[in-house]
Amino acid sequence: MSGVKKMSLKRILAVAGTGAALAGLLVWGGVAQKKAKQDALHYVAGLTPTTYVCDTIDVDCPEAIDQIIFGVIYAGSYDRMNNVVHKYHYRDLTGTEMGQAVTGAVNQSQEFASYHELRHAYNSRLMWRYNGVLSPDVFVMDEVSARVAEELARISEKKPMKSGKMSSAVSYKISDKYNLQNIANMFVKKALIEIDQTFEVSADIFEEASLYAHNDPLVQDVMIDKKTLMNEMMVFEINGKKQNMLKLASKELQKEVERLKVSVEKYLDVKYR
């Protein structure tokens, strides 16, 4: 395929100032202070803007169509080093019915993939505030979170994003006809199934992401531990309220997420031993 731009690896060192609003959030004590810290974390995570672009990928030969049908389809990506969310739009240049049908179907099915990638950008802001090793298990949670974000965008009043700079924080408005526990179960289960279908590819990506993360900035406005990091990556603002979609899901699904982390760790240990 043509039309794919190479990504440079320039480091992003943009650090958001927090000002009086953050200071005000951190004056409480006890339980109130813990909640204030969580609120402050989500506040500062949304401050640094992310650039969103839609890249056109030309489908100009039958082999390219076959690659879409039988290969790994990337709806988009988050360029962690440059802080850019990419959405891929496939343009048929074959002039065939097959080319038009395949590209049309893929583009339509990936309409909300941008929200998946934008969640990766948001989660990276949380990771910037963790002073520890970002191991592959962190990126397992990051991927589950991003897949849940995409599904939330589908059932909410979100519209496809437009190119430009934007906050990585997203607020979802969902109809009362949806039961949050039911959709948490549905979305987390769907994420686990999809990751398992491409397990080895996914595990390698988690390992690669953990290596790239060594270049991340460390932002010290709100420092968090690993437990908090893993927890907050699954917190979404839904109808104006913070909701942890993993905690809303069943205990069995929570255990499945933990088992996935262990499986990825074991796979990588064997591969690189």
Side-chain angles (χ1 to χ4, degrees):
M1 295 181 186
S2 60
V4 181
K5 296 180 180 178
K6 291 184 178 180
M7 297 178 182
S8 63
L9 297 179
K10 290 184 295 183
R11 183 176 177 182
I12 291 297
L13 292 173
V15 177
T18 56
L22 173 59
L25 284 171
L26 295 175
V27 299
W28 303 97
V31 175
Q33 187 180 41
K34 182 178 179 181
K35 184 180 184 303
K37 187 172 183 178
Q38 291 173 329
D39 289 342
L41 176 62
H42 290 280
Y43 170 76
V44 296
L47 285 180
T48 306
T50 296
T51 300
Y52 167 66
V53 296
C54 185
D55 301 319
T56 297
I57 297 179
D58 293 338
V59 179
D60 51 13
C61 62
E63 290 77 15
I65 297 173
D66 290 341
Q67 188 174 354
I68 293 177
I69 296 173
F70 301 109
V72 177
I73 304 303
Y74 291 98
S77 65
Y78 173 53
D79 179 357
R80 189 182 185 90
M81 305 301 288
N82 289 300
N83 187 30
V84 178
V85 167
H86 292 264
K87 166 70 172 63
Y88 301 140
H89 176 82
Y90 293 89
R91 178 172 60 184
D92 174 54
L93 296 182
T94 66
T96 64
E97 290 186 11
M98 176 64 76
Q100 292 172 5
V102 170
T103 55
V106 170
N107 289 335
Q108 185 175 16
S109 67
Q110 297 175 170
E111 195 172 21
F112 292 99
S114 307
Y115 289 94
H116 174 122
E117 304 305 334
L118 192 62
R119 184 67 191 196
H120 283 313
Y122 180 81
N123 287 343
S124 74
R125 271 62 167 177
L126 304 181
M127 295 177 200
W128 290 356
R129 292 164 170 88
Y130 168 59
N131 187 15
V133 177
L134 292 171
S135 48
D137 62 325
V138 173
F139 292 96
V140 170
M141 189 67 81
D142 177 37
E143 184 63 19
V144 172
S145 169
R147 289 176 184 271
V148 169
E150 181 175 350
E151 297 303 321
L152 285 172
R154 290 183 192 281
I155 67 168
S156 69
E157 298 181 354
K158 293 298 172 191
K159 296 180 180 179
M161 297 193 310
K162 295 182 179 180
S163 297
K165 287 191 175 182
M166 63 189 67
S167 169
S168 60
V170 178
S171 179
Y172 301 92
K173 186 175 181 181
I174 296 176
S175 169
D176 292 339
K177 70 179 181 180
Y178 292 106
N179 179 285
L180 278 184
Q181 286 187 314
N182 289 344
I183 64 173
N185 283 324
M186 187 186 310
F187 293 167
V188 171
K189 183 176 182 179
K190 185 173 186 288
L192 291 171
I193 290 172
E194 290 173 346
I195 294 171
D196 187 62
Q197 287 173 341
T198 56
F199 177 80
E200 292 185 7
V201 173
S202 296
D204 288 339
I205 291 173
F206 301 148
E207 175 71 5
E208 182 180 17
S210 69
L211 295 175
Y212 276 117
H214 290 300
N215 295 313
D216 282 356
L218 177 62
V219 185
Q220 297 182 322
D221 45 21
V222 184
M223 298 299 293
I224 57 176
D225 57 24
K226 189 170 183 179
K227 181 179 179 181
T228 301
L229 171 63
M230 300 295 259
N231 180 78
E232 299 305 314
M233 281 197 292
M234 289 305 300
V235 172
F236 298 83
E237 184 175 302
I238 301 174
N239 296 338
K241 184 178 179 180
K242 298 287 192 303
Q243 301 282 359
N244 187 308
M245 295 299 281
L246 183 57
K247 288 185 176 179
L248 281 173
S250 69
K251 295 294 184 183
E252 183 55 37
L253 281 173
Q254 293 176 33
K255 291 178 182 177
E256 285 293 331
V257 172
E258 294 305 312
R259 283 194 282 267
L260 175 61
K261 293 178 192 175
V262 172
S263 296
V264 168
E265 182 180 357
K266 288 182 177 179
Y267 166 80
L268 293 173
D269 281 347
V270 170
K271 181 173 181 179
Y272 294 105
R273 183 176 297 167

